[in-house]
Amino acid sequence: MKKNECFETQIIDLTIEGSGICRVENMVVFVPNTAVGDQIRVKIVKVLKNYAFGIVAEMLEPAASHM
């Protein structure tokens, strides 16, 4: 995984701060402004040894709302 690469993935959890968590190539990626269940195309903005940070490049399918 390298900076500026894009991947299709799904948000599977949230951090305490509210950023979405997904997995790409067996690495955890933190993505702000997402919700559990969102299908997104994530653009990697920073890669560290054990995790990475990304931004939403495209919202493919938002999570279904439960009202």
Side-chain angles (χ1 to χ4, degrees), residues 1 5-9 24-25 40-44:
M1 176 187 309
E5 281 188 301
C6 290
F7 300 92
E8 287 187 16
T9 187
V24 175
E25 297 180 348
I40 62 168
R41 180 169 289 117
V42 62
K43 180 178 180 181
I44 304 302

Side-chain angles (χ1 to χ4, degrees), residues 1-63:
M1 176 187 309
K2 296 182 205 138
K3 184 177 176 180
N4 294 325
E5 281 188 301
C6 290
F7 300 92
E8 287 187 16
T9 187
Q10 182 173 11
I11 301 300
I12 55 171
D13 207 351
L14 293 176
T15 65
I16 269 192
E17 294 85 17
S19 286
I21 300 171
C22 61
R23 286 195 169 269
V24 175
E25 297 180 348
N26 289 324
M27 187 176 269
V28 171
V29 181
F30 298 102
V31 188
N33 304 316
T34 55
V36 174
D38 285 349
Q39 291 275 67
I40 62 168
R41 180 169 289 117
V42 62
K43 180 178 180 181
I44 304 302
V45 294
K46 186 172 185 178
V47 181
L48 301 173
K49 184 176 178 180
N50 297 314
Y51 58 94
F53 295 93
I55 58 172
V56 177
E58 182 181 355
M59 179 65 69
L60 302 173
E61 187 177 328

